[in-house]
Amino acid sequence: MNWLAIWVTVKLASLTAGSLLLIGLPIAYWVTFSTWRWKFLVESIVALPLVLPPTVLGFYILVAIGPHSPIGRFYVDLVGHPLPFTFEGLLLASILYSLPFAVQPFASAFEQVDRRLLEASWTLGRSKVQTFFRLIVPLSATGLITGVVLSFAHTLGEFGVVLMVGGNIAGETRTVSIDIYDEVQALNYAGAAKTAFFLLVVSYLVLLTVYAMNRKVWAAWPQK
């Protein structure tokens, strides 16, 4: 089993999930509470990675961050090397690719918070920021954890976007999915089977955690 590819994958998934927690919260809050009549335009853009083929999304990201684009030229001037085919470029692509897997559970959890509690908080003089962190976030904890776990699990299995933006550089951008593809191309089915089984078990355990948390299975345990 390629432990280096597993380490790159876990690092990428962890950083993506952590970044989406920071980026997804304000987006989900705006999507939930904004009264702008055209906000469906933003919602459609956020959800676009759900329906867009990964290679298409990867192609547009590659063009957007390439050395001939304004973003790419700015990055080269800043750090001295292009963004594509680096771990940083791969992380950016993963964040965009997994964005709806974080924002949609966050927004769904925010919508379930009783509006009367929010109005009571504002009436008592709490600001919107205080209400968000002291009322909305605690009441939406299950949805927030679900969004983080789903974005982590989704990143584990990325292939098309990884190949387009990150390439296949050992120790840098070669993830588990790419490693499995390489093993199959080399007709090493035994090696591919071990890595694939590892990914299967990890993905199942992640989803098992999400479903158990949403069902609150621990609530059925007898209290001491």
Side-chain angles (χ1 to χ4, degrees):
M1 200 147 39
N2 190 338
W3 291 105
L4 188 58
I6 292 174
W7 161 243
V8 172
T9 305
V10 171
K11 183 172 71 169
L12 177 65
S14 300
L15 290 174
T16 299
S19 301
L20 284 173
L21 178 62
L22 298 176
I23 298 169
L25 283 178
I27 296 176
Y29 182 89
W30 183 84
V31 167
T32 305
F33 297 105
S34 173
T35 56
W36 186 44
R37 63 181 300 185
W38 301 102
K39 72 175 182 179
F40 67 88
L41 297 173
V42 178
E43 290 178 292
S44 302
I45 294 174
V46 171
L48 199 56
L50 291 174
V51 297
L52 206 59
T55 48
V56 175
L57 180 64
F59 171 75
Y60 282 119
I61 294 175
L62 189 61
V63 172
I65 66 176
H68 301 296
S69 70
I71 297 174
R73 286 196 296 270
F74 173 76
Y75 188 82
V76 171
D77 293 339
L78 191 65
V79 301
H81 62 81
L83 190 53
F85 308 112
T86 63
F87 183 82
E88 293 78 12
L90 182 58
L91 176 61
L92 175 62
S94 296
I95 290 171
L96 294 174
Y97 186 43
S98 297
L99 186 62
F101 290 86
V103 171
Q104 292 192 351
F106 293 171
S108 178
F110 291 166
E111 287 174 355
Q112 294 176 26
V113 176
D114 193 335
R115 295 299 179 104
R116 290 172 296 183
L117 294 176
L118 304 181
E119 292 170 0
S121 176
W122 296 330
T123 303
L124 292 172
R126 301 296 183 187
S127 66
K128 288 189 175 182
V129 174
Q130 290 175 318
T131 301
F132 177 75
F133 284 107
R134 301 180 68 172
L135 184 63
I136 297 176
V137 169
L139 292 176
S140 307
T142 302
L144 301 186
I145 295 172
T146 299
V148 171
V149 172
L150 283 180
S151 56
F152 178 88
H154 184 246
T155 306
L156 287 180
E158 285 180 6
F159 181 79
V161 171
V162 172
L163 200 58
M164 292 291 288
V165 179
N168 186 3
I169 304 171
E172 181 76 14
T173 61
R174 181 183 295 170
T175 62
V176 170
S177 300
I178 301 295
D179 185 68
I180 293 172
Y181 178 77
D182 283 347
E183 296 290 3
V184 171
Q185 289 292 98
L187 302 180
N188 182 12
Y189 290 100
K194 289 179 183 177
T195 310
F197 183 72
F198 173 82
L199 195 58
L200 173 67
V201 171
V202 172
S203 300
Y204 176 71
L205 289 176
V206 168
L207 289 178
L208 192 68
T209 303
V210 171
Y211 278 95
M213 194 168 50
N214 286 331
R215 300 283 185 184
K216 297 182 178 178
V217 292
W218 54 85
W221 292 354
Q223 300 292 323
K224 294 183 178 178

